[in-house]
Amino acid sequence: QVQLVESGGGLVQAGGSLRLSCAASGSIFSINTMGWYRQAPGKERELVATMTSGGNTNYADSLKGRFTISRDNAKNTVYLQMNSLKPDDTVVYYCYYRAGPPYWGQGTQVTVSS
């Protein structure tokens, strides 16, 4: 089992920045993928960005340039730096871990006011 604990969500004005963090614990494999997805009410969960333990990244095309993913393998932690936030970024962000079956965090709300 893997537990994911997210932090860093909250309320920010449009144009502002937030940094999300997600710490993984439990049965962690050294080779894994961690990242972020997001989901708006009534919509499917969508990719934000993922990063392998080897450093390969995958971003949603629409978010490249504003969002940056990074990780600290020693801490089993993944980060998401979100800049130039827009009201459309107001959704719940979920941490993701995969080395076999996927695991999800509980979600953290990001609200961007106009």
Side-chain angles (χ1 to χ4, degrees):
Q1 291 290 325
V2 174
Q3 295 78 43
L4 301 172
V5 178
E6 300 144 336
S7 61
L11 174 65
V12 65
Q13 288 187 333
S17 299
L18 279 177
R19 189 192 194 207
L20 305 182
S21 300
C22 174
S25 62
S27 300
I28 305 297
F29 286 88
S30 59
I31 299 174
N32 61 65
T33 297
M34 295 185 71
W36 299 91
Y37 283 68
R38 67 184 190 179
Q39 187 170 21
K43 295 188 176 182
E44 292 188 357
R45 195 167 294 186
E46 62 176 10
L47 169 73
V48 175
T50 61
M51 189 171 190
T52 69
S53 48
N56 293 319
T57 58
N58 183 33
Y59 286 92
D61 288 341
S62 62
L63 300 176
K64 286 180 181 178
R66 293 196 300 124
F67 289 14
T68 303
I69 191 170
S70 61
R71 61 185 289 170
D72 184 335
N73 289 337
K75 295 181 179 180
N76 294 319
T77 299
V78 64
Y79 307 95
L80 184 69
Q81 179 66 42
M82 304 185 292
N83 298 328
S84 303
L85 282 162
K86 305 174 182 178
D88 285 350
D89 297 318
T90 297
V91 290
V92 178
Y93 288 75
Y94 292 91
C95 181
Y96 167 86
Y97 167 94
R98 185 164 190 169
Y103 290 88
W104 298 94
Q106 78 282 2
T108 185
Q109 176 71 47
V110 170
T111 301
V112 183
S113 63
S114 57

